Amino acid sequence: MNPKIANKIADAVIYILVAIVVIILALLIGFILITGIPHISWHFLTSVSQSFSAGGGIRDQLFNSIYLLILTLIISFPIALGSGIYLAEYAPKNWFTSLIQTAIEVLSSLPSIIVGLFCYLLFVIEFQLGFSILSGAIALTFFNLPLLTRSIQESLESVPDLQRQAGASLGLSRWKTITGIIFPIAIPGIITGIILSAGRVFGEAAALIYTAGESAPAISYSNFNPFNPASFLNPMRPAETLAVHIWKVNTEGVTPDASQISSGSSAVLIIVILIFNLGAHYLGKHLYDKMTASK
């Protein structure tokens, strides 16, 4: 066969496969949005959920998801930042570095149900943290660390070596070069990685069933004491997230409008994740253009 013809056939096959994936994704997202958006209203977003009667909302579940995401980032980002800087700037190419890279890959491929059971036995039972937001945040850290560490590492490694050489020629220490020259250039990519990992964390459900719990106790949004069990800021209270709520409504829901609640909650979840991903693309490009003076 003529090489040019074979190349065209290969390109056509690749484009067809990509188109199939895009069409499947578009149909899936479109179905969720079309069936769910009509059930979204201000009342739905700001009212508490109901166990038996119709007309419940997702106020507490939506807040729990956002609060859990913030705590997860507070725990995981410093660890990922230190790991990414070490792997990109300090780690020599030896067996220890390879072991760390392998550990990151293994951690990123662990099934969420396994991580959930492990964190349930260790933190919920052994450390007696109970079903709580803190237990859920620690569990989600296991998912967030590999993606966040890799994105920070790749962002730092993408900075040209000329920048490092310029810092050395000015007599700057290695750490000063990293913090004063390399890190500001890598910030757009790091922020993009943070937002993308946040989207993944926001949609996680399996691990949270065993750590954050499936209940949504009544909380007061006027109580700012994080040590009060009724406070919305209390990290030791059980917290049903939006993703867990969708799973629970579909499997155990007995309310008359369970299907409408599930559809509306799924649409809200998809919209938030789309905002995370599209926001990461826009913000990363904006910061790159601004900080590199490309425009």
Side-chain angles (χ1 to χ4, degrees), residues 30-41 263-268 271:
F31 174 78
I32 294 174
L33 294 179
I34 290 173
T35 57
I37 287 179
H39 303 295
I40 299 176
S41 64
S263 298
S265 301
S266 301
V268 172
I271 291 172

Side-chain angles (χ1 to χ4, degrees), residues 229-248:
S231 173
F232 70 104
L233 294 176
N234 184 7
M236 302 308 298
R237 62 179 175 84
E240 180 186 54
T241 63
L242 188 59
V244 174
H245 183 63
I246 295 171
W247 171 82
K248 188 175 180 180

Side-chain angles (χ1 to χ4, degrees), residues 103-152:
I104 293 174
E105 295 295 335
V106 171
L107 191 60
S108 64
S109 62
L110 285 177
S112 58
I113 193 71
I114 301 299
V115 175
L117 287 172
F118 170 77
C119 292
Y120 168 75
L121 294 174
L122 182 61
F123 300 107
V124 177
I125 302 299
E126 186 66 25
F127 291 166
Q128 298 182 355
L129 295 179
F131 291 107
S132 62
I133 294 179
L134 182 59
S135 298
I138 295 173
L140 291 181
T141 297
F142 284 89
F143 294 101
N144 205 31
L145 270 179
L147 179 60
L148 201 52
T149 300
R150 181 57 60 85
S151 66
I152 293 175

Side-chain angles (χ1 to χ4, degrees), residues 21 43 66 87 144 154 173 175 217 223 247 263 270 276 287:
V21 173
H43 172 78
I66 296 173
L87 292 173
N144 205 31
E154 292 179 351
S173 65
W175 177 248
N223 189 338
W247 171 82
S263 298
I270 288 294
F276 277 137
L287 289 176

Side-chain angles (χ1 to χ4, degrees), residues 15 65 83 98-99 114 123 132 136 147 164 170 216 225 235 246 286:
Y15 287 136
S65 297
S83 302
S98 299
L99 180 63
I114 301 299
F123 300 107
S132 62
L147 179 60
R164 297 172 177 84
L170 292 174
N225 181 9
I246 295 171
H286 174 74

Side-chain angles (χ1 to χ4, degrees), residues 73-92:
L73 291 177
I74 291 175
I75 296 172
S76 60
F77 179 70
I79 303 174
L81 180 61
S83 302
I85 291 176
Y86 172 77
L87 292 173
E89 302 296 333
Y90 291 98

